[in-house]
Amino acid sequence: MTPSSPTAGHPPGAGNHRDVLVIGAGPGGASCAYWLARAGHDVAVVERKAFPREKTCGDGLTPRSVRQIQDMGLGQELAAAHRYEGLRSHGFGRTLDLPWPEVPGLPRYGYVITRKDLDGMVAGNAAKAGATLWQHTEAVEPVMEGGSLVGARMVARGDDGYTGTITARYVVVADGANSRFGWALGNARRRDYPQGMALRGYWTSPLHDEPWIDSWLDIRDESGHSMPGYGWIFPLGDGRVNVGVGLLTTSRIWKGANTTQLLEAFTKFAPAAWDIRPETCLGPATGGRLPMGMSVGPRSGPSHLVVGDASGMINPFNGEGIAYGYETGRLAAEVLDEALVAGGPAALTLYEKRLEERYGLYYRVARAFVRAIGRPEVMRACTYTGMHSRSVMEWLLRIMSNMMRPEEVGPAEAAYKALVAIARAKGPSAA
């Protein structure tokens, strides 16, 4: 889907001023823009590229992502993508089919859809709700006033782009994992927090319409050494599969790991039924770094908020970032609505508080877990134990996908509470 034209809504020009300027139209930015526009606010979104555009990703949507997309009124459009029922987990010669758990308010299914299709659909939806979307428009420099961010200087990156200045009462930074605008504001990633690297490509495959997404938990390099990460094959249902590897780089011993070589080793290891070989490859693999665990900050200022990957919101347990982009974008919109309607700039202090309430403890546990599995012997022990117990893997799936039921005392919740107790016992060092 192609969003409305870049000059939809109020035309750009001198004195162009909005309620909210959103920098970046990926999951976090598009979600924020949609909810703000739906609430009746004058919001502009700028996107450096133009839709449809490629984006490196595993393309898998968990139930958390599906719920957010459905809430934005795109359930029917999403249903045209490939639906899957859960995770097929592989490791140590064993395979377990793990349906998504039953959690109130969440569907028990996910979808696989390329970001090339998904992001344009969601950004276009924000434009339909009333947001102004300018594509081929890059925010290259913050505009400051009295220590507050009041807008940005834009440079056109295409014939339909806009060059000039856009100001706003509030600004949302949502330009992704390598947030150039965030760095210009002085944002930085905590080096002691986890970071991942991922690489993915597309292959044709006779198993392109499998009802599961497949994950290999005991991936190894060409020398046979266990690596702290996983490999995946996600079916797109259109003749293609998304094949990739994700690697945690928290431990020093993994700093020099080569994801290109790891992906090559993984494709050689993949079962023959998938037909993953050079002749079925559809092009070069692409990759990037993944800031995780609320690792980038500050996430707010006197007049701005930072959402999604730009704030390091990727889940360290499973590398998922899409759901947290949608969720933090929506949360930012709720806070900004309060600020615009009655609360003024002071309301922006609620954003950090609500992030901490919703994600703080979970991410502390995730960071502690990541540090632990950075040790090869711990990684092997965890994987081996899990793959030999369906119940263990079922509650691990709950924890790692953040699909727990806090009000229930079940295996997953009990295990999570044990991990929480460990994280709390470690105090500030676990943060």
Side-chain angles (χ1 to χ4, degrees):
M1 173 185 293
T2 301
S4 59
S5 68
T7 54
H10 304 294
N16 185 33
H17 185 75
R18 302 304 172 99
D19 289 337
V20 181
L21 168 64
V22 180
I23 297 171
S31 168
C32 186
Y34 169 81
W35 292 109
L36 284 168
R38 191 167 181 261
H41 300 298
D42 182 7
V43 55
V45 194
V46 295
E47 167 63 32
R48 184 168 62 94
K49 297 184 178 179
F51 298 106
R53 53 107 169 97
E54 294 284 350
K55 177 69 175 178
T56 299
C57 184
D59 298 331
L61 300 180
T62 66
R64 291 181 71 102
S65 292
V66 173
R67 165 66 189 276
Q68 292 299 316
I69 295 169
Q70 291 173 339
D71 284 355
M72 287 186 280
L74 290 168
Q76 184 173 353
E77 290 85 347
L78 186 59
H82 179 63
R83 173 170 159 167
Y84 71 96
E85 307 305 318
L87 175 70
R88 178 182 289 151
S89 186
H90 306 263
F92 291 95
R94 295 174 63 87
T95 297
L96 294 174
D97 291 347
L98 305 168
W100 285 119
E102 185 175 353
V103 178
L106 293 178
R108 295 194 67 184
Y109 53 85
Y111 289 96
V112 183
I113 177 173
T114 68
R115 292 287 296 279
K116 182 177 181 180
D117 295 323
L118 178 66
D119 287 356
M121 180 175 74
V122 179
N125 192 52
K128 285 183 177 180
T132 300
L133 175 62
W134 290 318
Q135 302 176 76
H136 277 145
T137 301
E138 182 178 6
V140 296
E141 183 181 4
V143 175
M144 308 297 294
E145 186 175 290
S148 295
L149 178 64
V150 297
R153 185 173 67 85
M154 308 295 170
V155 172
R157 299 305 185 193
D159 292 340
D160 54 350
Y162 168 57
T163 295
T165 297
I166 302 174
T167 59
R169 293 175 63 183
Y170 302 106
V171 179
V172 175
V173 180
D175 56 340
N178 299 310
S179 176
R180 300 178 185 179
F181 197 84
W183 305 148
L185 286 174
N187 283 12
R189 182 180 71 85
R190 285 192 57 164
R191 302 295 176 177
D192 58 329
Y193 277 25
Q195 179 174 246
M197 296 189 299
L199 190 71
R200 70 94 174 103
Y202 295 103
W203 276 257
T204 59
S205 172
L207 303 183
H208 67 93
D209 56 356
E210 286 289 286
W212 307 93
I213 58 172
D214 285 68
S215 177
W216 279 260
L217 303 180
D218 61 340
I219 59 170
R220 300 169 183 267
D221 62 17
E222 291 186 335
S223 300
H225 298 127
S226 294
M227 304 294 286
Y230 67 99
W232 71 79
I233 303 179
F234 292 174
L236 282 155
D238 61 0
R240 298 178 296 164
V241 292
N242 181 312
V243 183
V245 292
L247 183 66
L248 292 166
T249 61
T250 304
S251 175
R252 291 180 181 178
I253 62 176
W254 309 117
K255 294 295 184 183
N258 187 308
T259 51
T260 299
Q261 294 176 358
L262 188 59
L263 180 59
E264 291 175 356
F266 175 65
T267 57
K268 293 176 183 177
F269 168 81
W274 288 96
D275 198 30
I276 306 299
R277 51 194 174 88
E279 292 79 9
T280 61
C281 183
L282 295 172
T286 60
R289 294 185 178 272
L290 310 173
M292 298 175 165
M294 301 176 72
S295 59
V296 179
R299 289 177 286 273
S300 63
S303 58
H304 76 275
L305 302 176
V306 187
V307 304
D309 288 3
S311 60
M313 286 300 301
I314 294 171
N315 185 346
F317 274 124
N318 63 0
E320 179 183 13
I322 299 175
Y324 301 96
Y326 292 142
E327 291 175 6
T328 57
R330 185 174 187 173
L331 181 60
E334 292 171 359
V335 170
L336 289 168
D337 178 60
E338 294 180 41
L340 289 162
V341 171
L348 269 64
T349 61
L350 295 172
Y351 180 64
E352 189 67 39
K353 179 181 178 181
R354 292 177 184 176
L355 281 177
E356 179 63 27
E357 290 172 349
R358 186 173 300 184
Y359 305 110
L361 184 55
Y362 178 81
Y363 276 68
R364 284 195 290 278
V365 172
R367 293 193 296 265
F369 174 80
V370 165
R371 280 193 293 272
I373 65 170
R375 297 163 54 191
E377 67 276 14
V378 175
M379 179 70 181
R380 285 194 300 270
C382 289
T383 304
Y384 181 86
T385 300
M387 288 307 301
H388 284 78
S389 171
R390 171 172 288 277
S391 60
V392 168
M393 286 302 293
E394 286 175 345
W395 60 250
L396 275 176
L397 178 61
R398 275 192 184 277
I399 294 172
M400 298 181 78
S401 61
N402 200 0
M403 292 179 65
M404 292 163 291
R405 301 187 295 258
E407 75 283 358
E408 296 182 9
V409 182
E413 289 73 20
Y416 178 70
K417 289 176 182 178
L419 289 172
V420 165
I422 294 171
R424 280 179 170 154
K426 290 182 178 295
S429 64

